Amino acid sequence: MIRRTTSQSETFDGVAGIIAPGRLIAFSLPSIIALSVYMATSSPVGSTKEPVLKARESEQKSQIAPPTAKQIPVAPHKLPPKGLQFYAALSRPNKLPSQALPVAAPTGKLQKLSAPELPLTTQALVPSASPQISRLGYQVSINGRTLPATWSQWRVGKSVRTGISDAGMSQTLGVELLNTGDVTRQPVQWFSQPAMEPLMLATQAVGSYRYLDITDFAQRAGWQMEVKGTKLLISSKPAQVADIQPALQPRGSRMTIEIDRPTPWQVRKEGEELVVTMDAVATPALLQRFSSAPVPLLQAPKQGKVAEKDRETEGEIPSMVPLPHRSKLPTPVVESIQNQTQIRINIPAGLSPRFSSLPNPNRLVIDFLPEAMVERDILWAKGIRWKQQYVSLGSSRFPVVGLILNPRLQGDVNLPFFKMKPIWSHRSKMVGVAPLSETAQMWHASAAVNGGFFNRKNQLPLGAIRRDGRWLSGPILNRGAIAWNDTGAVKIGRLALQETLITSTGARLPILFLNSGYVKAGISRYTPEWGATYTPLIDDEIIVVVQNNQVTSLLPGGIAGKTAFPIPRNGFLLTLRANRGPASSLPLGTKVWVEGATVPADFNRYPHIVGAGPLLLQNRQIVLNAKGEQFSDAFDKQAAIRSAIGTTADGNLMIVAVHNRVGGTGPTLREMAALMQKMGIIDALNLDGGSSTSLYLGGQLLDRPPSSAARVHNGLGIFFQPTR
């Protein structure tokens, strides 16, 4: 929405929106953990020698009794000799594998796979070369329930292997990804004891996804698999829910669900309820015991909306502080229908769920904690590391979810590990918004983060977007921006674009904005990069059509938002807003040309730019000046969920999403700058925040449930570059 003020300026207000998909989908484990975004805690960041700060040991220790299994770094195994096919070393618990057996996955009709009793330990060896994908699909059916998940099949020798994306493994099966520094294999936990016998799945990074080889996993679990079109069908023997035990803990509560055998499980959030679905049958005694509706627990107040006059262009800002949880046992409601059990649990206010699955006996454990994040450090692909941890700032602890990116060239093939480019919601035009995950998938990006600001009413960009040297949207108000090229060079600083329209009669007319949704009295310019048409943003604009450097038409713009004017492919449009004076210098037939330059000039050397703001750090020093970048005082002082990007001393890029501090709100801009500084960042830029904050990797949002993420206009996409 445009709010009219004076002829000298126009300001924008927007109303934040939260996506509520019509269908219910299972959250990935990172998204399950990120339910804390609603409850005032969210995902942490692990630590390595790279510049993410380690939490103090005393802060890492939890007062809650931990489950038996813990996440541990897994030492890489030796690679097989060149040419060796996939083999799986299968063993029973607490026994070493006696031999390695080749395994093939069924691809046609249902085929029964023999299965010793679980728990399982699979250690898949890695092939010497990346295989060719022979089949690909986007749905996985688990015992008749169809869920969105990307899967693929490939052939290694005579063996057909089946893989599911790591996001799909978490969303459909309940598999938890553990820490690893080996890109060829992913340790996981699934009713297993990783400290004793880590369950290893071979990985294949193909296109925008990373697939985990489940061929031997499925055989050991006794599953039947079948491919029908683009759907992978998995059938498993249902388990039996033997018992459900709620218990209080020193800092929260625990729900232990005991089953007789490992089984797929999913979770979703409905309002303030957690809904766990298991391929299992509950005993009649359990159904009778937990058949009544749960007693509502004390809940945090709803997130308040900031008054429109203070909103400017950022996403929805939470203004709530969760109330302390009540020391009360969570009361589940249990239903069983057709070999499936659904367990509904009220989420206590101020707490978030943490999940773990354990063997002997087989249990799904749900802990409700004020700090529910599992710290992670996963080398997802060459040059892309996924890290999560809590970072302390004064008396506050902030959950930080991040990607550390190595933009430098691979020496052996002279290629970068990945390419980073701006992405936006509609390829052919600059109007429109969409969930970041949908935009990333449309562009086939492996990873992405939300980018710059935009107007939520007319869905137009409010800042710089440049891709491959083309300005899709120009910078505004000398705000912060990040620029980069395809060989690893990065610049972060404040950016302006100065354009001048020069006529054959010697007139020099300043152009205020290029391809922008920002409105101010004066001249703006719209090129074909904006889209096929331009629709006036305020009443009574004058539209000047320029083709082949010559004025060909002067047209009345009429009522804002009503008429779409074609943008010539061989020229551009000028729009004169609240000032008819320049029209006298632009009669029909006038020859014109445009001169332009970035300020600073060195920004123009970079083909890719995304603007946001404000600038947080330069040369390790906090340089925050929100008022200087023409953000409002309210925006400057607000505590909010935030995303940011920065460079490190060793030349890496770090992209982070920071959610609500434990027991409170998100960081202020100054706290965000201090957090980036504490994590070892050299130069840093604040990106759009609030409900816009979204960090995507391989098919899933890492930092929050999809239903809590607003639609955004643009972002930064990371495109994995496999070694040739």
Side-chain angles (χ1 to χ4, degrees):
M1 178 181 69
I2 300 174
R3 185 174 67 240
R4 300 294 297 270
T5 54
T6 68
S7 62
Q8 297 301 313
S9 66
E10 305 285 341
T11 58
F12 288 77
D13 295 319
V15 178
I18 293 181
I19 302 168
R23 61 181 182 178
L24 293 172
I25 63 173
F27 295 151
S28 65
L29 278 170
S31 294
I32 293 169
I33 294 170
L35 290 176
S36 55
V37 172
Y38 264 31
M39 316 308 294
T41 57
S42 52
S43 305
V45 170
S47 56
T48 66
K49 62 183 180 181
E50 298 195 55
V52 175
L53 204 70
K54 289 186 178 180
R56 295 192 300 269
E57 275 188 29
S58 60
E59 293 171 333
Q60 291 176 329
K61 294 179 180 177
S62 173
Q63 298 177 21
I64 192 167
T68 305
K70 296 182 179 179
Q71 213 168 206
I72 60 169
V74 179
H77 295 267
K78 293 182 179 179
L79 294 177
K82 185 175 182 180
L84 186 65
Q85 295 182 3
F86 262 116
Y87 282 81
L90 304 178
S91 67
R92 292 182 181 272
N94 305 320
K95 292 184 180 180
L96 294 175
S98 57
Q99 59 180 340
L101 302 174
V103 180
T107 57
K109 61 183 181 180
L110 288 175
Q111 176 181 341
K112 179 67 177 177
L113 302 177
S114 60
E117 287 300 313
L118 294 174
L120 56 86
T121 300
T122 303
Q123 297 175 345
L125 301 181
V126 182
S128 58
S130 296
Q132 294 295 317
I133 297 295
S134 58
R135 291 191 179 187
L136 185 67
Y138 301 96
Q139 290 181 319
V140 173
S141 175
I142 307 291
N143 296 319
R145 287 177 298 116
T146 300
L147 301 169
T150 304
W151 61 270
S152 66
Q153 285 188 330
W154 61 89
R155 185 176 295 276
V156 179
K158 296 182 179 180
S159 175
V160 175
R161 314 300 295 185
T162 301
I164 300 179
S165 67
D166 45 9
M169 290 285 284
S170 299
Q171 293 165 352
T172 61
L173 303 177
V175 171
E176 181 178 4
L177 308 183
L178 304 180
N179 295 341
T180 182
D182 184 351
V183 296
T184 65
R185 57 188 72 231
Q186 175 64 58
V188 300
Q189 182 177 2
W190 194 75
F191 300 100
S192 56
Q193 187 64 274
M196 298 174 61
E197 290 182 302
L199 171 61
M200 288 287 187
L201 302 180
T203 67
Q204 292 294 342
V206 180
S208 56
Y209 295 95
R210 186 184 74 152
Y211 298 98
L212 305 184
D213 186 346
I214 67 164
T215 310
D216 308 323
F217 183 99
Q219 186 194 43
R220 185 70 180 178
W223 296 347
Q224 299 174 23
M225 294 194 298
E226 180 184 8
V227 171
K228 283 190 175 180
T230 60
K231 185 183 295 187
L232 174 65
L233 279 63
I234 297 177
S235 177
S236 68
K237 180 180 178 181
Q240 184 177 70
V241 182
D243 196 9
I244 299 176
Q245 300 175 355
L248 291 176
Q249 297 286 339
R251 300 182 65 232
S253 57
R254 171 177 289 182
M255 182 81 66
T256 302
I257 305 168
E258 187 173 325
I259 53 179
D260 66 342
R261 59 184 290 123
T263 191
W265 59 273
Q266 302 88 38
V267 64
R268 67 179 185 269
K269 184 174 181 285
E270 293 181 358
E272 300 304 329
E273 273 191 341
L274 196 67
V275 182
V276 179
T277 302
M278 308 185 75
D279 289 283
V281 178
T283 64
L286 275 179
L287 292 174
Q288 184 176 5
R289 179 180 162 197
F290 296 110
S291 60
S292 59
V295 178
L297 302 179
L298 183 64
Q299 298 295 337
K302 299 291 184 181
Q303 294 186 7
K305 290 185 178 179
V306 177
E308 285 195 5
K309 64 184 179 64
D310 293 334
R311 284 194 34 78
E312 288 235 349
T313 58
E314 184 155 11
E316 182 176 331
I317 308 298
S319 59
M320 49 80 76
V321 177
L323 300 175
H325 73 280
R326 298 179 65 178
S327 297
K328 185 172 184 178
L329 281 174
T331 306
V333 172
V334 181
E335 296 179 326
S336 274
I337 302 175
Q338 296 181 344
N339 294 331
Q340 294 168 6
T341 294
Q342 192 173 86
I343 303 169
R344 294 179 173 269
I345 312 166
N346 276 323
I347 302 173
L351 304 182
S352 299
R354 176 190 291 173
F355 297 81
S356 56
S357 59
L358 303 171
N360 303 322
N362 298 301
R363 290 154 288 158
L364 175 62
V365 179
I366 310 172
D367 286 315
F368 295 95
L369 303 169
E371 298 181 24
M373 304 314 119
V374 177
E375 297 201 343
R376 299 185 188 277
D377 185 357
I378 295 174
L379 186 59
W380 192 81
K382 288 184 178 180
I384 303 177
R385 182 182 292 274
W386 164 19
K387 294 174 68 68
Q388 300 181 172
Q389 77 173 97
Y390 284 100
V391 177
S392 296
L393 190 65
S395 60
S396 297
R397 282 170 56 78
F398 291 93
V400 183
V401 186
L403 296 177
I404 296 178
L405 309 173
N406 179 354
R408 295 179 296 279
L409 297 177
Q410 304 177 56
D412 55 339
V413 292
N414 199 33
L415 282 172
F417 289 110
F418 63 89
K419 288 186 177 180
M420 185 169 72
K421 293 193 175 185
I423 58 176
W424 53 95
S425 57
H426 295 280
R427 285 178 179 264
S428 62
K429 58 185 179 180
M430 281 291 102
V431 61
V433 294
L436 180 70
S437 56
E438 291 184 9
T439 299
Q441 289 165 8
M442 178 187 71
W443 287 92
H444 303 291
S446 295
V449 66
N450 63 287
F453 301 113
F454 56 97
N455 182 304
R456 289 194 182 279
K457 286 293 187 180
N458 59 28
Q459 301 181 351
L460 296 176
L462 298 171
I465 305 174
R466 188 182 194 190
R467 178 172 169 140
D468 297 323
R470 300 181 303 120
W471 285 110
L472 286 305
S473 180
I476 64 172
L477 307 175
N478 198 37
R479 289 180 172 177
I482 179 170
W484 67 95
N485 63 22
D486 292 329
T487 59
V490 177
K491 178 179 175 62
I492 295 177
R494 295 188 180 97
L495 170 65
L497 177 64
Q498 295 180 347
E499 283 195 335
T500 302
L501 183 73
I502 303 173
T503 72
S504 55
T505 60
R508 298 178 65 87
L509 304 175
I511 298 174
L512 300 184
F513 303 107
L514 171 64
N515 292 340
S516 180
Y518 193 81
V519 175
K520 190 175 181 179
I523 303 176
S524 290
R525 186 165 75 99
Y526 292 88
T527 70
E529 282 74 19
W530 180 256
T533 62
Y534 164 78
T535 303
L537 300 181
I538 65 171
D539 294 345
D540 301 325
E541 296 180 11
I542 297 177
I543 308 299
V544 181
V545 182
V546 177
Q547 299 183 72
N548 295 319
N549 297 321
Q550 186 174 18
V551 176
T552 59
S553 299
L554 280 83
L555 307 170
I559 299 173
K562 187 173 182 179
T563 304
F565 293 85
I567 299 175
R569 301 302 300 176
N570 58 347
F572 53 85
L573 297 183
L574 299 172
T575 176
L576 314 184
R577 296 179 180 133
N579 185 358
R580 294 176 174 268
S584 62
S585 300
L586 299 169
L588 291 180
T590 302
K591 291 288 186 179
V592 298
W593 61 94
V594 176
E595 288 184 351
T598 60
V599 180
D602 57 347
F603 261 103
N604 199 49
R605 300 202 309 260
Y606 297 90
H608 314 299
I609 297 176
V610 167
L615 193 64
L616 299 175
L617 300 177
Q618 280 196 313
N619 297 321
R620 296 187 173 89
Q621 302 302 308
I622 295 177
V623 293
L624 176 64
N625 184 1
K627 183 172 290 188
E629 296 185 28
Q630 300 190 44
F631 291 101
S632 69
D633 290 340
F635 177 89
D636 186 18
K637 297 174 183 177
Q638 278 288 348
I641 296 166
R642 300 192 183 278
S643 56
I645 187 168
T647 57
T648 67
D650 53 4
N652 288 337
L653 280 171
M654 185 184 295
I655 301 173
V656 300
V658 181
H659 285 269
N660 294 332
R661 74 194 78 203
V662 177
T665 58
T668 64
L669 284 170
R670 188 153 295 276
E671 286 176 322
M672 190 68 179
L675 286 168
M676 297 294 280
Q677 187 182 54
K678 193 169 184 180
M679 290 187 287
I681 304 302
I682 307 300
D683 300 323
L685 173 70
N686 182 67
L687 302 173
D688 190 8
S691 58
S692 295
T693 297
S694 304
L695 187 59
Y696 169 92
L697 179 66
Q700 63 185 329
L701 289 184
L702 300 181
D703 66 307
R704 68 192 310 158
S707 61
S708 72
R711 295 171 177 262
V712 299
H713 179 276
N714 61 84
L716 288 82
I718 292 91
F719 300 84
F720 177 64
Q721 294 283 103
T723 302
R724 288 178 180 171

